[in-house]
Amino acid sequence: MNIDNNNTFFINLPSPVAEIISTIESNGFEAFAVGGCVRDTLLNRSPDDWDITTSALPEQVKAMFPRTIDTGIQHGTVTVMIGKNGYETTTYRIDGEYEDGRHPKSVEFSSRLLDDLKRRDFTINAMAYNNTTHLVDEFGGISDLNHKIIRCVGNAAERFSEDALRMMRAIRFSAQLGFTIEDATYEAILTLAPTLSKVSMERVEIELGKTLVSKNPDYVLKFVETGLFKEKLPLIHSILSDAHKIKTLAMLRTTKPSLILRLSALLNCASPDEARHTLRSLKLDNHTVDTVTKLVKYSKHSIDETEPAVREALHKFGKDFFFILLDHQEAGLAAREETTGIILPSLKMHFKTLRKLASDSINRGDCFTIKALEITGHDLIEYGLTGPAIGKALDNLLHMVIEDPKLNNKEMLIDILKQL
Ligand code: ATP
Ligand code: MG
């Protein structure tokens, strides 16, 4: 943290943020950078985005800048455009009860910064900063950052009753930052866990996803230990409550931080159908649902270390999935090594060999798709084939070419057809 002799914190605000704040101030209002960007900067992490909070009303903010977008004007948010970047600028507000969406049911604007900080979830997320006042930390955010603690602003049970998603956010931030959840906050989660049922799956998925791709993906266990997932995501609850727990947590730790791979590690012990059902209930997009289900299905599929076998696998799975599958299987191997303490160098070598065989084959331009065959359906029609026989013949020829790439030549393929 940057701190001077007078115990003043300094944050180097990006110039567009400083510009927006000083424009608002020169119009007679207050404005501060607030929330995640202040927290992350104090932790020397680079923030994803910079949010600004202000005493000016949305219409007043709009009048101050040439380019703005009405992002969530009924909730007080206007995006101010500076160059190509947008900065969400929100009027100080007092939130009503949250509904089953991203925003509270009703909001009331306020002219006091403190009201706006009070509505925020955790002390570390409730700090504001500008170049005139410097840091505003009314709830002990700095102290909690220093002690690595997640603590609600105000009474934890009340704050979780307003918005049950905050219970998941507490666990998500503890995973991202490696922080501990303060006792009273944790106790309130244990008590109110069943109320997560009120929250939409879209919001649950965002917090689960951020936890899974964090540096502590195994903190997902806390969603289960607190009872948060008992009814909301029963399959995940049961995987992490039974014999699969140790294996699954190990695999989460050994898997690369991509959402698809971490979801696959989480659901690897389930059947593909069960996995698909859970992924669907999380409202994930089709590509994610299909890829994860397929990774679970083929997690034990073995590929021989020969060029034709690798080409056959590239054909069956496609290039992209082939390499993701190897990542998934390799994480499974590393997890087994972690849980058993038995190191299997020959298996590690096996994955290295498969990767090399596949990239050599791709770089050589080997044929492993019907499209890459030197003969087309049209050629086969000319040759006299009709209907389903065309597809069948192409398929047969492709498997021969996969076996022996030298055969991928139009005349040779016609010759083969004659013999079939
Ligand atoms: P990140 O963007 O890295 O996920 P963040 O802290 O910026 O973390 P956002 O969800 O972008 O989180 O929210 C921005 C700020 O808004 C938070 O720092 C917090 O002050 C406040 N906030 C967000 N969601 C809630 C909520 N459900 N209840 C109370 N305050 C919230
Ligand atoms: Mg944010």
Side-chain angles (χ1 to χ4, degrees):
M1 289 185 196
N2 291 324
I3 188 165
D4 77 359
N5 298 337
N6 302 323
N7 257 357
T8 308
F9 288 89
F10 279 103
I11 289 179
N12 204 356
L13 296 177
S15 53
V17 176
E19 187 186 318
I20 293 169
I21 292 176
S22 65
T23 302
I24 296 176
E25 285 176 337
S26 66
N27 280 275
F29 298 94
E30 296 172 8
F32 292 83
V34 70
C37 59
V38 175
R39 176 200 68 222
D40 286 343
T41 321
L42 292 171
L43 288 170
N44 286 324
R45 293 160 60 98
S46 47
D48 290 338
D49 40 37
W50 287 81
D51 293 328
I52 294 163
T53 187
T54 177
S55 58
L57 293 168
E59 292 303 328
Q60 293 168 320
V61 173
K62 283 172 71 173
M64 293 176 208
F65 298 95
R67 287 190 303 137
T68 61
I69 300 167
D70 289 4
T71 313
I73 200 128
Q74 67 281 28
H75 299 106
T77 305
V78 170
T79 298
V80 175
M81 296 302 299
I82 306 279
K84 283 200 195 100
N85 297 322
Y87 298 86
E88 286 198 356
T89 305
T90 306
T91 306
Y92 296 161
R93 56 179 220 221
I94 301 166
D95 287 349
E97 204 176 309
Y98 273 61
E99 61 187 338
D100 191 28
R102 225 177 93 70
H103 296 292
K105 238 186 264 179
S106 62
V107 299
E108 191 186 316
F109 295 137
S110 163
S111 56
R112 297 190 320 148
L113 173 65
L114 190 60
D115 286 333
D116 190 80
L117 296 180
K118 246 194 252 172
R119 73 167 172 97
R120 293 175 184 271
D121 45 10
F122 306 111
T123 58
I124 58 167
N125 287 348
M127 292 182 278
Y129 185 91
N130 70 20
N131 289 332
T132 19
T133 310
H134 298 289
L135 190 74
V136 179
D137 174 22
E138 290 290 327
F139 304 104
I142 286 289
S143 161
D144 285 344
L145 274 188
N146 284 331
H147 294 100
K148 298 180 182 289
I149 285 173
I150 308 289
R151 183 198 312 268
C152 280
V153 172
N155 180 283
E158 277 172 24
R159 304 314 310 283
F160 293 151
S161 305
E162 289 162 2
D163 178 14
L165 185 76
R166 290 175 186 152
M167 297 187 278
M168 281 193 76
R169 286 172 60 87
I171 292 170
R172 185 261 282 193
F173 285 117
S174 86
Q176 284 180 323
L177 305 171
F179 282 20
T180 313
I181 300 173
E182 174 259 344
D183 285 350
T185 302
Y186 194 81
E187 287 296 321
I189 298 179
L190 292 179
T191 311
L192 291 165
T195 63
L196 188 70
S197 60
K198 287 193 281 192
V199 177
S200 71
M201 269 301 195
E202 287 83 351
R203 297 180 82 208
V204 166
E205 188 277 318
I206 291 172
E207 298 304 323
L208 172 62
K210 287 185 174 181
T211 306
L212 286 175
V213 300
S214 77
K215 62 177 183 183
N216 294 298
D218 48 358
Y219 280 33
V220 74
L221 179 63
K222 290 187 206 250
F223 294 133
V224 170
E225 287 176 341
T226 51
L228 280 165
F229 278 4
K230 196 164 180 197
E231 263 143 54
K232 197 79 181 164
L233 288 159
L235 177 65
I236 299 175
H237 183 90
S238 98
I239 289 173
L240 293 179
S241 308
D242 70 11
H244 297 305
K245 171 171 142 181
I246 305 287
K247 223 163 60 182
T248 303
L249 294 176
M251 190 155 170
L252 281 169
R253 284 190 293 269
T254 54
T255 297
K256 288 182 188 172
S258 94
L259 182 63
I260 283 183
L261 284 168
R262 292 264 167 97
L263 282 167
S264 307
L266 180 62
L267 298 170
N268 203 41
C269 292
S271 74
D273 280 348
E274 288 171 332
R276 180 182 289 280
H277 183 263
T278 290
L279 296 161
R280 282 248 171 278
S281 76
L282 280 163
K283 308 273 161 64
L284 286 153
D285 61 276
N286 288 343
H287 172 73
T288 304
V289 173
D290 292 344
T291 311
V292 174
T293 307
K294 226 164 124 184
L295 285 170
V296 170
K297 178 170 177 189
Y298 289 105
S299 68
K300 299 230 157 58
H301 179 88
S302 81
I303 302 165
D304 287 344
E305 282 179 18
T306 66
E307 286 184 1
V310 167
R311 281 193 293 268
E312 197 59 68
L314 285 167
H315 165 63
K316 181 178 169 76
F317 296 127
K319 266 192 296 201
D320 292 347
F321 185 81
F322 176 92
F323 288 105
I324 297 175
L325 180 61
L326 294 191
D327 284 340
H328 179 63
Q329 294 188 341
E330 218 173 335
L333 168 69
R336 228 176 315 148
E337 290 184 346
E338 191 191 298
T339 50
T340 58
I342 301 168
I343 307 295
L344 303 162
S346 63
L347 264 179
K348 205 166 242 158
M349 201 55 214
H350 172 64
F351 288 110
K352 210 169 161 192
T353 309
L354 290 180
R355 278 181 215 282
K356 170 99 174 71
L357 284 170
S359 45
D360 286 352
S361 174
I362 292 163
N363 292 338
R364 267 197 312 268
D366 284 0
C367 163
F368 50 84
T369 60
I370 293 211
K371 224 174 128 205
L373 274 177
E374 290 293 333
I375 196 166
T376 64
H378 200 74
D379 296 328
L380 296 188
I381 293 170
E382 274 183 14
Y383 176 76
L385 292 186
T386 52
I390 298 171
K392 216 165 161 207
L394 285 172
D395 208 48
N396 281 333
L397 293 174
L398 176 63
H399 288 290
M400 289 184 197
V401 167
I402 283 175
E403 199 57 48
D404 180 1
K406 286 197 298 294
L407 301 179
N408 198 16
N409 159 303
K410 195 162 164 180
E411 277 127 54
M412 255 194 259
L413 292 172
I414 298 272
D415 274 350
I416 293 171
L417 266 186
K418 286 179 186 157
Q419 293 162 37
L420 279 180

